[in-house]
Amino acid sequence: SQQGEEDPQALSIQEGENATMNCSYKTSINNLQWYRQNSGRGLVHLILIRSNEREKHSGRLRVTLDTSKKSSSLLITASRAADTASYFCATDGAAGNKLTFGGGTRVLVKP
Amino acid sequence: KAGVTQTPRYLIKTRGQQVTLSCSPISGHRSVSWYQQTPGQGLQFLFEYFSETQRNKGNFPGRFSGRQFSNSRSEMNVSTLELGDSALYLCASSLALAGDPTGELFFGEGSRLTVL
């Protein structure tokens, strides 16, 4: 079963617009991560936010975490065609080196 | 520094056969995890190895097994293949030490298995 559920499942925007996607999870976490996957390729780590952090920035990425609501959001500002990909949130469990991934958001950035 | 290398990248098998997939982690990474990705189930955790020991296992049948060698390279094996085993199998390595929360995972490009 998946820990995280992402919303929306798919998103289509024009280049230059912002893209926002949300992730909800069920159990307590140590950290939450976001990954990007280009079609059929491996996942690439984007950003990690710890459970005691509320917001984190990395370049054009902004991630928020609300542990009281068990939710996170990823904002990509000034999107580019190269941002077209699937984006996954992932949470760590109580034990071991294991991530539980959400279903992902497919983002299409039209030039 | 070389990334995570998975071989083979693509393979086709028939039902009932077995398959072995290989993963070479980033140099210095002692943790290797395996994930299965399918359109229907998404990304699902298979197992994780650290210093040749399986630390964590997902909810998969015993047909799925793995191991890690002393050089941190890992293999996973699927026996008696079923049609539903068709998937992208992803390997990831990390620097995480024993007891650390899961940190950044570095993924390979995956091995795409098709079972006919």
Side-chain angles (χ1 to χ4, degrees):
Chain A
S1 63
Q2 292 174 353
Q3 158 82 306
E5 294 297 331
E6 288 167 71
D7 169 54
Q9 289 189 327
L11 183 58
S12 181
I13 57 175
Q14 293 293 138
E15 212 166 21
E17 293 180 340
N18 295 342
T20 300
M21 59 211 84
N22 304 295
C23 166
S24 60
Y25 57 93
K26 297 172 185 172
T27 62
S28 62
I29 60 172
N30 292 303
N31 64 58
L32 184 144
Q33 304 180 42
W34 286 89
Y35 287 81
R36 183 187 75 225
Q37 183 181 37
N38 291 91
S39 181
R41 307 287 297 275
L43 281 74
V44 175
H45 180 266
L46 294 175
I47 197 163
L48 180 154
I49 185 165
R50 302 191 191 285
S51 59
N52 61 353
E53 297 175 312
R54 292 295 167 259
E55 187 171 313
K56 202 161 182 181
H57 297 254
S58 176
R60 294 183 296 113
L61 305 179
R62 172 179 170 255
V63 168
T64 63
L65 178 64
D66 186 335
T67 53
S68 67
K69 295 181 180 178
K70 291 187 168 59
S71 69
S72 174
S73 69
L74 170 67
L75 167 68
I76 305 172
T77 60
S79 62
R80 306 165 181 169
D83 294 328
T84 293
S86 291
Y87 293 81
F88 296 89
C89 68
T91 54
D92 68 334
N97 200 17
K98 167 188 174 182
L99 289 181
T100 304
F101 285 85
T105 295
R106 293 189 314 278
V107 174
L108 172 63
V109 181
K110 293 179 280 189
Chain B
K1 199 181 229 186
V4 177
T5 304
Q6 290 189 247
T7 57
R9 289 291 315 279
Y10 303 92
L11 64 168
I12 300 173
K13 294 285 187 179
T14 56
R15 280 180 297 175
Q17 287 188 312
Q18 75 166 13
V19 67
T20 299
L21 308 178
S22 180
C23 172
S24 293
I26 291 173
S27 177
H29 288 193
R30 292 162 63 188
S31 170
V32 174
S33 306
W34 289 89
Y35 291 81
Q36 181 198 63
Q37 186 177 29
T38 60
Q41 299 298 316
L43 281 153
Q44 293 191 289
F45 173 79
L46 281 157
F47 24 65
E48 186 252 350
Y49 289 87
F50 183 88
S51 293
E52 301 178 67
T53 300
Q54 186 182 87
R55 286 199 300 185
N56 217 332
K57 189 177 190 304
N59 189 25
F60 278 82
R63 300 185 297 107
F64 291 80
S65 63
R67 59 179 177 168
Q68 186 181 33
F69 302 95
S70 59
N71 61 358
S72 293
R73 190 178 70 85
S74 177
E75 288 181 348
M76 67 162 283
N77 183 276
V78 188
S79 62
T80 320
L81 284 166
E82 300 176 0
L83 296 179
D85 297 333
S86 294
L88 181 65
Y89 290 87
L90 292 161
C91 168
S93 72
S94 82
L95 275 170
L97 301 176
D100 282 355
T102 303
E104 175 182 354
L105 297 187
F106 295 81
F107 282 84
E109 292 291 345
S111 292
R112 183 166 295 282
L113 170 65
T114 302
V115 182
L116 301 176

